[in-house]
């Protein structure tokens, strides 16, 4: 089951269909909590990430509030509403938000995303709750009217 806490129309329509196709039939209660971001929103989140890294030099970076530099996030797509190519998820297990990325619920998500031809997981770099379109950079460039 999937519940959208972000406006789906700000994301690429094909990405929404792909994400819905894997999460809707799931036995787990998935929530899309982040979708399209403006360049300014991405810059603010990146600044928070850099500050966290500075304040926590001994911490595992995967445990912090990861964010890509502005202009390099699938959340931004082409920088135009309707082109976002990424979503950040939460899941409820027994009525509680579950962040046990090594547990069976999140492993199900990673495996399911890996099996999908157009979706990609950032689990390998510790951003397990993030799902993006495989070719989002090409799609973003095309939406801007250019070629890759």
């Amino acid at each position: 089951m999937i519940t959208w806490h972000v406006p789906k129309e700000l994301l690429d329509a094909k990405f929404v269909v792909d994400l819905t196709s894997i999460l809707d039939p799931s036995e787990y209660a998935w929530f899309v909590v982040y979708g399209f971001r403006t360049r300014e929103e991405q810059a603010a989140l990146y600044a928070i990430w850099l500050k966290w890294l500075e304040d926590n030099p001994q911490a595992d970076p995967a445990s912090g509030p990861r964010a890509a530099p502005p202009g390099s996030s699938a959340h931004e797509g082409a920088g135009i509403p309707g082109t976002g190519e990424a979503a950040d998820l939460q899941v409820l297990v027994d009525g509680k938000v579950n962040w046990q990325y090594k547990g069976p619920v999140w492993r199900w998500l990673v495996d399911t995303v890996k099996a999908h031809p157009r979706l990609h997981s950032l689990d390998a770099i510790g951003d397990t709750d993030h799902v993006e379109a495989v070719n989002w950079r090409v799609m973003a460039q095309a939406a801007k009217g250019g070629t890759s």
Side-chain angles (χ1 to χ4, degrees):
M1 173 181 78
I2 183 173
T3 302
W4 294 85
H5 288 283
V6 300
K8 289 189 282 190
E9 63 274 7
L10 296 181
L11 292 166
D12 177 80
K14 290 178 185 173
F15 175 72
V16 169
V17 168
D18 287 343
L19 191 60
T20 301
S21 76
I22 65 167
L23 297 181
D24 232 10
S26 169
E27 66 184 277
Y28 306 113
W30 293 100
F31 295 85
V32 179
V33 295
Y34 235 131
F36 175 78
R37 295 181 189 147
T38 64
R39 177 71 52 98
E40 294 77 19
E41 289 170 321
Q42 189 64 36
L45 290 170
Y46 186 63
I48 291 168
W49 167 238
L50 292 178
K51 177 77 170 117
W52 186 89
L53 289 172
E54 180 182 311
D55 292 346
N56 299 280
Q58 303 302 319
D60 175 2
S63 67
R66 299 181 70 94
S72 64
S73 171
H75 286 283
E76 296 172 82
I80 305 163
T83 63
E85 296 279 350
D88 292 339
L89 307 173
Q90 285 183 347
V91 64
L92 289 183
V93 176
D94 298 325
K96 297 177 185 169
V97 175
N98 176 300
W99 294 113
Q100 297 174 358
Y101 288 151
K102 300 297 182 202
V105 176
W106 288 100
R107 294 298 93 203
W108 174 88
L109 177 69
V110 170
D111 293 344
T112 303
V113 168
K114 283 181 182 176
H116 194 284
R118 291 178 302 278
L119 296 176
H120 177 68
S121 167
L122 294 187
D123 180 59
I125 63 166
D127 202 359
T128 305
D129 65 312
H130 176 96
V131 177
E132 64 185 31
V134 169
N135 58 350
W136 74 267
R137 285 182 176 87
V138 171
M139 294 167 65
Q141 189 65 32
K144 290 179 184 178
T147 57
S148 60

